[in-house]
Coordinates of all heavy atoms in Angstrom, one line a residue:
V1 N -20.5 -35.7 102.6 CA -21.0 -34.9 103.6 C -21.4 -33.6 102.9 O -20.7 -33.0 102.1 CB -20.0 -34.5 104.7 CG1 -20.5 -33.5 105.7 CG2 -19.4 -35.7 105.4
V2 N -22.7 -33.2 103.1 CA -23.2 -32.0 102.5 C -23.4 -30.9 103.6 O -24.1 -31.3 104.6 CB -24.5 -32.2 101.7 CG1 -25.1 -30.9 101.2 CG2 -24.3 -33.2 100.6
V3 N -22.9 -29.7 103.4 CA -23.2 -28.7 104.4 C -24.2 -27.7 103.7 O -23.9 -27.1 102.7 CB -21.9 -27.9 104.7 CG1 -22.2 -26.7 105.7 CG2 -20.8 -28.8 105.2
P4 N -25.4 -27.7 104.3 CA -26.5 -26.9 103.6 C -26.3 -25.4 103.8 O -25.9 -24.9 104.8 CB -27.7 -27.4 104.4 CG -27.3 -27.8 105.7 CD -25.9 -28.4 105.5
L5 N -26.7 -24.7 102.7 CA -26.9 -23.3 102.8 C -28.1 -23.0 103.7 O -28.9 -23.8 103.9 CB -27.1 -22.7 101.4 CG -26.0 -22.7 100.4 CD1 -26.4 -22.2 99.1 CD2 -24.8 -21.9 101.0
Q6 N -28.1 -21.8 104.2 CA -29.2 -21.4 105.1 C -30.2 -20.6 104.2 O -29.8 -19.7 103.4 CB -28.7 -20.6 106.2 CG -27.8 -21.4 107.1 CD -27.2 -20.6 108.2 OE1 -27.9 -20.4 109.3 NE2 -26.0 -20.1 108.1
V7 N -31.5 -20.9 104.3 CA -32.5 -20.2 103.7 C -33.3 -19.4 104.7 O -33.8 -19.9 105.7 CB -33.5 -21.1 102.9 CG1 -34.6 -20.3 102.2 CG2 -32.7 -22.0 101.9
V8 N -33.3 -18.0 104.5 CA -33.9 -17.2 105.6 C -35.2 -16.6 105.0 O -35.2 -16.0 103.9 CB -32.9 -16.1 105.9 CG1 -33.5 -15.2 107.0 CG2 -31.6 -16.6 106.4
G9 N -36.2 -16.7 105.8 CA -37.5 -16.1 105.4 C -38.6 -16.5 106.4 O -38.4 -17.4 107.2
E10 N -39.7 -15.8 106.4 CA -40.8 -16.0 107.3 C -40.3 -16.0 108.7 O -40.7 -16.8 109.6 CB -41.4 -17.4 107.0 CG -42.0 -17.5 105.6 CD -42.5 -18.9 105.3 OE1 -42.0 -19.9 105.8 OE2 -43.5 -19.0 104.5
S11 N -39.4 -15.0 109.0 CA -38.9 -14.9 110.4 C -38.2 -16.1 110.9 O -38.2 -16.4 112.1 CB -40.0 -14.4 111.3 OG -40.5 -13.2 110.9
R12 N -37.6 -16.9 110.0 CA -37.0 -18.1 110.4 C -35.8 -18.5 109.5 O -35.7 -18.0 108.4 CB -38.1 -19.2 110.3 CG -37.6 -20.6 110.5 CD -38.7 -21.6 110.7 NE -37.9 -22.8 110.9 CZ -38.4 -24.0 110.8 NH1 -39.6 -24.1 110.4 NH2 -37.7 -25.0 111.0
T13 N -34.9 -19.3 110.0 CA -33.8 -19.8 109.2 C -33.9 -21.3 109.0 O -34.1 -22.0 110.0 CB -32.4 -19.5 109.8 OG1 -32.3 -18.0 110.0 CG2 -31.3 -20.0 109.0
Y14 N -33.9 -21.7 107.7 CA -34.1 -23.1 107.4 C -32.7 -23.6 106.9 O -32.0 -22.8 106.3 CB -35.1 -23.3 106.2 CG -36.5 -22.8 106.5 CD1 -36.8 -21.5 106.2 CD2 -37.4 -23.6 107.1 CE1 -38.1 -21.0 106.5 CE2 -38.7 -23.2 107.4 CZ -39.0 -21.9 107.0 OH -40.3 -21.4 107.3
Q15 N -32.4 -24.9 107.0 CA -31.3 -25.5 106.4 C -31.7 -26.1 105.1 O -32.6 -27.0 105.1 CB -30.7 -26.6 107.3 CG -30.2 -26.1 108.7 CD -29.2 -25.0 108.6 OE1 -28.2 -25.1 107.9 NE2 -29.4 -23.9 109.3
D16 N -31.2 -25.7 104.0 CA -31.6 -26.2 102.7 C -31.4 -27.7 102.6 O -30.4 -28.2 103.0 CB -30.7 -25.5 101.6 CG -31.1 -25.9 100.2 OD1 -32.3 -26.0 99.9 OD2 -30.2 -25.9 99.3
R17 N -32.5 -28.3 102.1 CA -32.6 -29.8 101.9 C -32.6 -30.5 103.3 O -32.5 -31.8 103.3 CB -31.5 -30.3 101.0 CG -31.5 -29.7 99.7 CD -30.5 -30.4 98.8 NE -30.5 -29.8 97.5 CZ -29.5 -29.2 96.9 NH1 -28.3 -29.2 97.5 NH2 -29.6 -28.6 95.7
V18 N -32.7 -29.8 104.4 CA -32.8 -30.4 105.7 C -34.2 -30.1 106.3 O -35.0 -30.9 106.5 CB -31.7 -30.1 106.7 CG1 -31.9 -30.6 108.0 CG2 -30.3 -30.5 106.1
D19 N -34.4 -28.8 106.5 CA -35.6 -28.2 107.0 C -36.6 -27.9 105.9 O -37.8 -27.8 106.2 CB -35.4 -27.0 107.8 CG -34.4 -27.2 109.0 OD1 -34.5 -28.2 109.6 OD2 -33.5 -26.3 109.2
I20 N -36.1 -27.6 104.7 CA -37.0 -27.2 103.6 C -36.4 -27.7 102.3 O -35.2 -27.7 102.1 CB -37.2 -25.7 103.6 CG1 -38.4 -25.3 102.7 CG2 -35.9 -25.0 103.3 CD1 -38.9 -23.9 102.9
R21 N -37.3 -28.2 101.5 CA -36.9 -28.7 100.1 C -37.2 -27.7 99.1 O -38.1 -26.8 99.3 CB -37.5 -30.0 99.8 CG -37.2 -31.1 100.8 CD -36.3 -32.1 100.2 NE -35.9 -33.1 101.1 CZ -34.7 -33.6 101.2 NH1 -33.7 -33.1 100.5 NH2 -34.4 -34.6 102.1
G22 N -36.6 -27.8 97.9 CA -36.9 -26.8 96.8 C -38.3 -26.6 96.5 O -38.8 -25.5 96.4
A23 N -39.1 -27.7 96.3 CA -40.5 -27.6 95.9 C -41.3 -26.9 97.0 O -42.1 -26.0 96.6 CB -41.1 -29.0 95.7
E24 N -41.0 -27.1 98.2 CA -41.7 -26.5 99.3 C -41.4 -25.0 99.4 O -42.2 -24.1 99.5 CB -41.4 -27.1 100.7 CG -42.1 -26.5 101.8 CD -41.8 -27.1 103.2 OE1 -41.0 -28.0 103.2 OE2 -42.3 -26.5 104.2
L25 N -40.1 -24.7 99.2 CA -39.6 -23.3 99.2 C -40.3 -22.5 98.1 O -40.8 -21.4 98.3 CB -38.1 -23.2 99.1 CG -37.5 -21.8 98.9 CD1 -37.9 -20.9 100.1 CD2 -36.0 -21.9 98.7
Y26 N -40.3 -23.1 96.9 CA -40.9 -22.4 95.7 C -42.4 -22.2 95.9 O -43.0 -21.2 95.6 CB -40.7 -23.2 94.4 CG -39.2 -23.3 94.1 CD1 -38.6 -24.5 93.7 CD2 -38.3 -22.2 94.2 CE1 -37.3 -24.6 93.4 CE2 -37.0 -22.3 93.9 CZ -36.5 -23.5 93.5 OH -35.1 -23.6 93.2
E27 N -43.1 -23.2 96.5 CA -44.5 -23.1 96.8 C -44.8 -21.9 97.8 O -45.7 -21.1 97.6 CB -45.0 -24.4 97.4 CG -46.5 -24.4 97.6 CD -47.3 -24.3 96.4 OE1 -46.8 -24.7 95.3 OE2 -48.5 -23.8 96.4
R28 N -43.9 -21.8 98.8 CA -44.1 -20.8 99.8 C -43.8 -19.4 99.2 O -44.5 -18.4 99.5 CB -43.1 -21.0 101.0 CG -43.6 -22.1 101.9 CD -42.7 -22.3 103.1 NE -43.0 -23.4 103.9 CZ -42.7 -23.6 105.1 NH1 -42.0 -22.7 105.7 NH2 -43.1 -24.7 105.8
M29 N -42.8 -19.3 98.3 CA -42.5 -18.1 97.6 C -43.7 -17.6 96.7 O -44.0 -16.4 96.7 CB -41.3 -18.2 96.8 CG -40.0 -18.4 97.6 SD -38.6 -18.9 96.7 CE -38.2 -17.4 95.8
R30 N -44.4 -18.6 96.1 CA -45.5 -18.2 95.2 C -46.7 -17.8 96.1 O -47.5 -16.9 95.6 CB -45.9 -19.5 94.4 CG -45.1 -19.6 93.1 CD -45.8 -20.6 92.2 NE -45.7 -22.0 92.8 CZ -44.6 -22.8 92.5 NH1 -43.7 -22.4 91.7 NH2 -44.6 -24.0 93.0
N31 N -46.9 -18.4 97.2 CA -48.1 -18.2 98.0 C -48.0 -17.3 99.2 O -48.9 -17.2 100.0 CB -48.7 -19.5 98.4 CG -49.1 -20.4 97.2 OD1 -49.7 -19.9 96.3 ND2 -48.8 -21.7 97.3
S32 N -46.9 -16.6 99.3 CA -46.6 -15.7 100.4 C -46.0 -14.4 100.0 O -45.4 -14.3 98.9 CB -45.7 -16.5 101.4 OG -45.2 -15.7 102.3
D33 N -46.1 -13.4 100.9 CA -45.4 -12.2 100.6 C -44.0 -12.2 101.2 O -43.3 -11.2 101.1 CB -46.2 -11.0 101.3 CG -47.6 -10.8 100.5 OD1 -47.7 -11.1 99.3 OD2 -48.5 -10.3 101.2
A34 N -43.7 -13.3 101.9 CA -42.4 -13.4 102.5 C -41.2 -13.3 101.5 O -41.4 -13.8 100.4 CB -42.2 -14.6 103.3
V35 N -40.2 -12.6 101.8 CA -39.0 -12.6 101.0 C -38.0 -13.6 101.6 O -37.7 -13.6 102.8 CB -38.4 -11.1 101.0 CG1 -37.1 -11.1 100.2 CG2 -39.4 -10.1 100.4
F36 N -37.5 -14.4 100.7 CA -36.5 -15.4 101.1 C -35.1 -15.0 100.6 O -35.0 -14.5 99.5 CB -36.9 -16.8 100.6 CG -38.0 -17.4 101.3 CD1 -39.3 -17.1 100.8 CD2 -37.9 -18.2 102.3 CE1 -40.4 -17.6 101.5 CE2 -39.0 -18.8 103.0 CZ -40.3 -18.5 102.5
T37 N -34.1 -15.2 101.4 CA -32.7 -15.0 101.0 C -31.9 -16.2 101.4 O -32.4 -17.1 102.1 CB -32.1 -13.7 101.7 OG1 -32.2 -13.9 103.1 CG2 -32.9 -12.5 101.3
T38 N -30.6 -16.3 101.0 CA -29.8 -17.3 101.5 C -28.6 -16.8 102.2 O -28.3 -15.6 102.1 CB -29.2 -18.2 100.3 OG1 -28.5 -17.3 99.4 CG2 -30.3 -18.9 99.5
S39 N -28.0 -17.6 103.0 CA -26.8 -17.2 103.8 C -25.9 -18.4 103.8 O -26.3 -19.6 103.8 CB -27.3 -16.9 105.2 OG -26.2 -16.5 106.0
Q40 N -24.6 -18.1 103.8 CA -23.6 -19.1 103.8 C -23.6 -19.9 105.1 O -23.9 -19.3 106.2 CB -22.2 -18.5 103.5 CG -21.7 -17.6 104.7 CD -20.7 -16.7 104.2 OE1 -20.7 -16.2 103.1 NE2 -19.7 -16.4 105.1
P41 N -23.2 -21.1 105.1 CA -23.0 -21.9 106.3 C -21.9 -21.2 107.2 O -21.0 -20.6 106.7 CB -22.5 -23.3 105.9 CG -23.0 -23.4 104.4 CD -22.9 -21.9 103.9
T42 N -22.1 -21.4 108.5 CA -21.1 -20.9 109.4 C -19.8 -21.7 109.4 O -19.8 -22.9 109.1 CB -21.6 -20.9 110.9 OG1 -21.8 -22.2 111.3 CG2 -22.9 -20.1 111.0
P43 N -18.7 -21.1 109.8 CA -17.5 -21.9 109.9 C -17.6 -23.2 110.8 O -17.1 -24.2 110.5 CB -16.4 -20.9 110.5 CG -16.9 -19.6 110.0 CD -18.4 -19.7 110.0
G44 N -18.4 -23.0 111.9 CA -18.7 -24.1 112.8 C -19.3 -25.3 112.1 O -19.0 -26.5 112.4
M45 N -20.2 -25.0 111.1 CA -20.9 -26.1 110.4 C -19.8 -26.8 109.5 O -19.9 -28.0 109.4 CB -22.0 -25.5 109.5 CG -23.2 -24.9 110.3 SD -24.3 -24.0 109.3 CE -25.2 -25.3 108.5
F46 N -18.9 -26.1 109.0 CA -17.8 -26.7 108.2 C -16.9 -27.5 109.1 O -16.5 -28.6 108.6 CB -17.1 -25.7 107.4 CG -17.8 -25.2 106.2 CD1 -18.2 -23.9 106.1 CD2 -18.2 -26.0 105.2 CE1 -18.9 -23.4 105.0 CE2 -18.9 -25.6 104.1 CZ -19.3 -24.3 104.0
V47 N -16.6 -27.0 110.2 CA -15.7 -27.8 111.1 C -16.3 -29.2 111.4 O -15.7 -30.2 111.3 CB -15.4 -27.1 112.4 CG1 -14.8 -28.0 113.5 CG2 -14.6 -25.8 112.2
S48 N -17.6 -29.2 111.7 CA -18.3 -30.4 111.9 C -18.3 -31.3 110.7 O -18.1 -32.5 110.8 CB -19.8 -30.2 112.3 OG -19.9 -29.5 113.6
A49 N -18.5 -30.8 109.6 CA -18.5 -31.5 108.3 C -17.1 -32.1 108.0 O -17.0 -33.3 107.6 CB -19.0 -30.7 107.2
F50 N -16.1 -31.3 108.3 CA -14.7 -31.8 108.0 C -14.4 -32.9 109.0 O -13.7 -33.9 108.6 CB -13.7 -30.6 108.2 CG -13.8 -29.5 107.2 CD1 -13.4 -28.3 107.5 CD2 -14.4 -29.8 105.9 CE1 -13.5 -27.2 106.5 CE2 -14.5 -28.7 105.0 CZ -14.0 -27.5 105.3
E51 N -14.8 -32.8 110.2 CA -14.5 -33.8 111.2 C -15.3 -35.1 110.8 O -14.7 -36.2 110.9 CB -15.0 -33.4 112.6 CG -14.1 -32.3 113.2 CD -14.6 -31.7 114.5 OE1 -15.8 -31.9 114.8 OE2 -13.8 -31.1 115.2
D52 N -16.5 -35.0 110.4 CA -17.3 -36.1 109.9 C -16.6 -36.8 108.7 O -16.5 -38.0 108.7 CB -18.7 -35.7 109.5 CG -19.6 -35.4 110.6 OD1 -19.2 -35.7 111.8 OD2 -20.7 -34.9 110.4
A53 N -16.2 -36.0 107.8 CA -15.5 -36.5 106.6 C -14.2 -37.3 106.9 O -14.0 -38.4 106.4 CB -15.2 -35.4 105.6
R54 N -13.5 -36.7 107.8 CA -12.2 -37.3 108.2 C -12.4 -38.5 109.1 O -11.5 -39.3 109.2 CB -11.3 -36.3 108.8 CG -10.7 -35.2 107.9 CD -9.7 -35.8 106.9 NE -8.5 -35.9 107.7 CZ -7.9 -37.1 108.0 NH1 -8.4 -38.2 107.7 NH2 -6.8 -37.1 108.8
S55 N -13.5 -38.7 109.7 CA -13.7 -39.8 110.6 C -13.9 -41.1 109.8 O -13.7 -42.2 110.3 CB -14.9 -39.6 111.5 OG -16.1 -39.7 110.7
S56 N -14.2 -40.9 108.5 CA -14.4 -42.1 107.7 C -13.4 -42.2 106.5 O -13.6 -43.2 105.7 CB -15.9 -42.1 107.1 OG -16.1 -41.0 106.3
A57 N -12.5 -41.3 106.4 CA -11.5 -41.4 105.3 C -10.3 -40.6 105.7 O -10.3 -39.7 106.4 CB -12.1 -40.7 104.0
P58 N -9.1 -41.1 105.2 CA -7.9 -40.4 105.5 C -7.7 -39.0 104.9 O -7.0 -38.2 105.4 CB -6.8 -41.4 105.0 CG -7.5 -42.2 103.9 CD -8.9 -42.3 104.3
E59 N -8.4 -38.8 103.8 CA -8.4 -37.5 103.2 C -9.8 -37.2 102.6 O -10.6 -38.1 102.4 CB -7.4 -37.5 102.0 CG -5.9 -37.6 102.5 CD -4.9 -37.6 101.3 OE1 -5.4 -37.3 100.2 OE2 -3.8 -37.7 101.6
A60 N -10.0 -35.9 102.4 CA -11.3 -35.5 101.9 C -11.1 -34.3 101.0 O -10.2 -33.5 101.3 CB -12.3 -35.2 103.0
V61 N -12.0 -34.1 100.0 CA -12.0 -33.0 99.1 C -13.3 -32.3 99.3 O -14.4 -32.9 99.2 CB -11.8 -33.4 97.7 CG1 -11.9 -32.2 96.7 CG2 -10.4 -34.0 97.5
G62 N -13.2 -31.0 99.6 CA -14.4 -30.1 99.7 C -14.6 -29.4 98.4 O -13.7 -28.6 98.0
L63 N -15.7 -29.6 97.7 CA -15.9 -28.8 96.4 C -17.0 -27.8 96.7 O -18.1 -28.1 97.2 CB -16.4 -29.8 95.4 CG -16.7 -29.3 94.0 CD1 -15.5 -28.6 93.4 CD2 -17.3 -30.3 93.1
F64 N -16.7 -26.5 96.4 CA -17.5 -25.4 96.9 C -18.0 -24.5 95.7 O -17.3 -24.4 94.7 CB -16.8 -24.6 97.9 CG -16.5 -25.3 99.1 CD1 -15.3 -26.0 99.3 CD2 -17.4 -25.4 100.2 CE1 -15.0 -26.7 100.4 CE2 -17.1 -26.1 101.3 CZ -15.9 -26.8 101.4
I65 N -19.2 -23.9 96.0 CA -19.7 -22.9 95.0 C -18.6 -21.8 94.9 O -17.9 -21.6 95.8 CB -21.0 -22.4 95.5 CG1 -21.7 -21.4 94.5 CG2 -20.9 -21.7 96.9 CD1 -23.1 -21.0 94.9
S66 N -18.6 -21.2 93.7 CA -17.5 -20.2 93.4 C -17.4 -19.2 94.5 O -18.4 -18.6 94.9 CB -17.8 -19.6 92.1 OG -16.9 -18.5 91.9
G67 N -16.2 -18.9 94.9 CA -15.9 -17.8 95.8 C -16.3 -16.4 95.2 O -16.5 -15.4 96.0
A68 N -16.5 -16.3 93.9 CA -16.9 -15.1 93.3 C -18.3 -14.8 93.4 O -18.7 -13.6 93.3 CB -16.5 -15.2 91.8
V69 N -19.2 -15.8 93.8 CA -20.6 -15.5 93.9 C -21.1 -15.8 95.3 O -22.3 -15.6 95.6 CB -21.4 -16.4 92.9 CG1 -21.1 -16.0 91.5 CG2 -21.2 -17.9 93.1
S70 N -20.3 -16.4 96.2 CA -20.8 -16.7 97.5 C -19.6 -16.6 98.5 O -18.5 -16.9 98.2 CB -21.4 -18.1 97.5 OG -21.7 -18.5 98.8
G71 N -20.0 -16.3 99.8 CA -19.0 -16.4 100.8 C -18.8 -17.7 101.4 O -18.0 -17.9 102.3
T72 N -19.4 -18.7 100.8 CA -19.3 -20.1 101.4 C -17.9 -20.6 101.3 O -17.4 -21.2 102.3 CB -20.3 -21.0 100.5 OG1 -21.6 -20.6 100.7 CG2 -20.2 -22.5 101.1
L73 N -17.2 -20.4 100.3 CA -15.8 -20.9 100.1 C -15.0 -20.2 101.2 O -14.2 -20.9 101.9 CB -15.3 -20.5 98.8 CG -13.8 -20.9 98.5 CD1 -13.6 -22.4 98.4 CD2 -13.3 -20.2 97.2
G74 N -15.1 -18.9 101.4 CA -14.4 -18.2 102.5 C -14.7 -18.8 103.9 O -13.8 -18.9 104.7
S75 N -15.9 -19.1 104.1 CA -16.3 -19.7 105.4 C -15.7 -21.0 105.6 O -15.2 -21.3 106.7 CB -17.9 -19.8 105.4 OG -18.3 -20.1 106.7
A76 N -15.6 -21.8 104.6 CA -15.0 -23.1 104.6 C -13.5 -23.0 104.9 O -12.9 -23.7 105.7 CB -15.2 -23.9 103.4
K77 N -12.8 -22.0 104.2 CA -11.4 -21.8 104.4 C -11.1 -21.3 105.8 O -10.2 -21.8 106.5 CB -10.9 -20.8 103.4 CG -10.7 -21.4 102.0 CD -10.2 -20.3 101.1 CE -10.0 -20.8 99.7 NZ -9.5 -19.8 98.7
A78 N -12.0 -20.4 106.3 CA -11.8 -19.9 107.7 C -11.9 -21.1 108.7 O -11.2 -21.1 109.7 CB -12.8 -18.8 108.0
A79 N -12.9 -22.0 108.5 CA -13.0 -23.1 109.4 C -11.8 -24.0 109.4 O -11.3 -24.4 110.5 CB -14.3 -23.9 108.9
L80 N -11.3 -24.3 108.2 CA -10.1 -25.1 108.1 C -8.9 -24.5 108.8 O -8.1 -25.1 109.5 CB -9.8 -25.5 106.7 CG -8.8 -26.6 106.4 CD1 -9.3 -27.9 107.1 CD2 -8.7 -26.8 104.9
Q81 N -8.7 -23.2 108.6 CA -7.6 -22.5 109.2 C -7.7 -22.4 110.7 O -6.7 -22.3 111.4 CB -7.5 -21.1 108.6 CG -7.0 -21.1 107.2 CD -7.1 -19.7 106.6 OE1 -7.6 -18.7 107.1 NE2 -6.6 -19.6 105.3
A82 N -8.9 -22.4 111.3 CA -9.1 -22.3 112.7 C -9.0 -23.6 113.4 O -9.1 -23.7 114.7 CB -10.5 -21.7 113.0
T83 N -8.8 -24.7 112.7 CA -8.7 -26.0 113.3 C -7.4 -26.7 113.0 O -6.6 -26.2 112.2 CB -9.8 -27.0 112.8 OG1 -9.6 -27.3 111.5 CG2 -11.2 -26.3 113.0
D84 N -7.1 -27.8 113.6 CA -5.9 -28.6 113.3 C -6.3 -29.8 112.5 O -5.5 -30.8 112.4 CB -5.2 -29.0 114.6 CG -6.0 -29.8 115.5 OD1 -7.2 -30.0 115.2 OD2 -5.5 -30.2 116.6
I85 N -7.4 -29.8 111.8 CA -7.8 -30.9 111.0 C -6.9 -30.9 109.7 O -6.8 -29.9 109.0 CB -9.3 -30.8 110.5 CG1 -10.2 -30.7 111.8 CG2 -9.7 -31.9 109.6 CD1 -11.6 -30.4 111.4
D86 N -6.3 -32.0 109.5 CA -5.5 -32.2 108.3 C -6.2 -33.1 107.3 O -7.2 -33.7 107.6 CB -4.1 -32.6 108.6 CG -4.0 -34.0 109.2 OD1 -5.1 -34.5 109.6 OD2 -3.0 -34.6 109.4
G87 N -5.6 -33.2 106.1 CA -6.2 -34.1 105.1 C -7.4 -33.6 104.4 O -8.1 -34.4 103.7
I88 N -7.7 -32.3 104.5 CA -8.8 -31.7 103.8 C -8.3 -30.8 102.7 O -7.4 -29.9 102.9 CB -9.7 -30.9 104.7 CG1 -10.2 -31.7 105.9 CG2 -10.8 -30.2 103.9 CD1 -11.3 -32.6 105.5
T89 N -8.8 -31.0 101.5 CA -8.4 -30.1 100.3 C -9.7 -29.3 99.9 O -10.7 -29.9 99.7 CB -7.9 -30.9 99.1 OG1 -6.7 -31.6 99.5 CG2 -7.5 -30.0 98.0
I90 N -9.6 -28.0 99.9 CA -10.7 -27.2 99.5 C -10.5 -26.8 98.0 O -9.5 -26.3 97.7 CB -10.8 -26.0 100.4 CG1 -11.2 -26.4 101.8 CG2 -11.8 -25.0 99.9 CD1 -11.3 -25.3 102.8
V91 N -11.6 -26.9 97.2 CA -11.6 -26.6 95.8 C -12.7 -25.6 95.5 O -13.8 -25.8 95.8 CB -11.7 -27.9 95.0 CG1 -11.8 -27.5 93.5 CG2 -10.6 -28.9 95.2
D92 N -12.3 -24.5 94.8 CA -13.3 -23.5 94.3 C -13.7 -24.0 93.0 O -13.0 -24.2 92.0 CB -12.6 -22.2 94.2 CG -13.5 -21.1 93.8 OD1 -14.6 -21.4 93.2 OD2 -13.2 -19.9 93.9
S93 N -15.0 -24.4 92.9 CA -15.6 -24.9 91.6 C -15.6 -23.9 90.5 O -15.7 -24.3 89.4 CB -17.0 -25.5 91.9 OG -17.9 -24.4 92.1
R94 N -15.5 -22.6 90.9 CA -15.6 -21.5 89.9 C -16.9 -21.6 89.1 O -17.0 -21.1 88.0 CB -14.4 -21.5 89.0 CG -13.1 -21.3 89.8 CD -12.0 -21.1 88.9 NE -10.8 -20.9 89.8 CZ -9.7 -20.5 89.4 NH1 -9.5 -20.1 88.1 NH2 -8.6 -20.3 90.2
T95 N -17.9 -22.1 89.8 CA -19.3 -22.1 89.1 C -20.3 -22.1 90.2 O -20.1 -22.4 91.4 CB -19.4 -23.4 88.2 OG1 -20.6 -23.3 87.5 CG2 -19.4 -24.7 89.0
A96 N -21.5 -21.8 89.8 CA -22.6 -21.9 90.8 C -23.3 -23.2 90.7 O -24.0 -23.7 91.5 CB -23.6 -20.8 90.5

């Protein structure tokens, strides 16, 4: 299960690799004055992903971008703490 980062630009929020792919994003960045930024997934997105993962396996490991460079890890931890889903292990990759 992949939880996409959000790409914000052109007065819109895209889901990375869902609504927009890298090549298209780079093309828009080259040909537009729009500024694009990223945003971490919401805890709700992680809850859904954890439920999906656990529906097909007794345990799951979530491997996340480093907590030192992104709030994504914190969002995943918050999601797990807010639910009663068990069998999920969260790992900080300590890398981008």
Side-chain angles (χ1 to χ4, degrees):
V1 177
V2 176
V3 179
L5 291 176
Q6 299 177 81
V7 178
V8 182
E10 300 174 327
S11 302
R12 174 165 182 202
T13 300
Y14 302 90
Q15 301 301 310
D16 185 34
R17 297 185 184 124
V18 175
D19 303 319
I20 194 166
R21 300 254 180 220
E24 180 183 357
L25 174 60
Y26 298 136
E27 185 67 25
R28 288 181 184 203
M29 291 170 72
R30 276 193 289 271
N31 296 319
S32 167
D33 291 334
V35 174
F36 288 86
T37 60
T38 59
S39 180
Q40 67 201 36
T42 65
M45 294 169 77
F46 284 116
V47 169
S48 294
F50 295 156
E51 289 171 344
D52 287 349
R54 288 289 284 112
S55 71
S56 61
E59 295 183 3
V61 174
L63 181 61
F64 296 91
I65 187 172
S66 172
V69 298
S70 173
T72 301
L73 179 70
S75 190
K77 287 180 176 180
L80 194 56
Q81 291 172 351
T83 69
D84 59 356
I85 300 171
D86 62 349
I88 302 286
T89 300
I90 292 179
V91 177
D92 184 339
S93 68
R94 298 187 182 195
T95 188

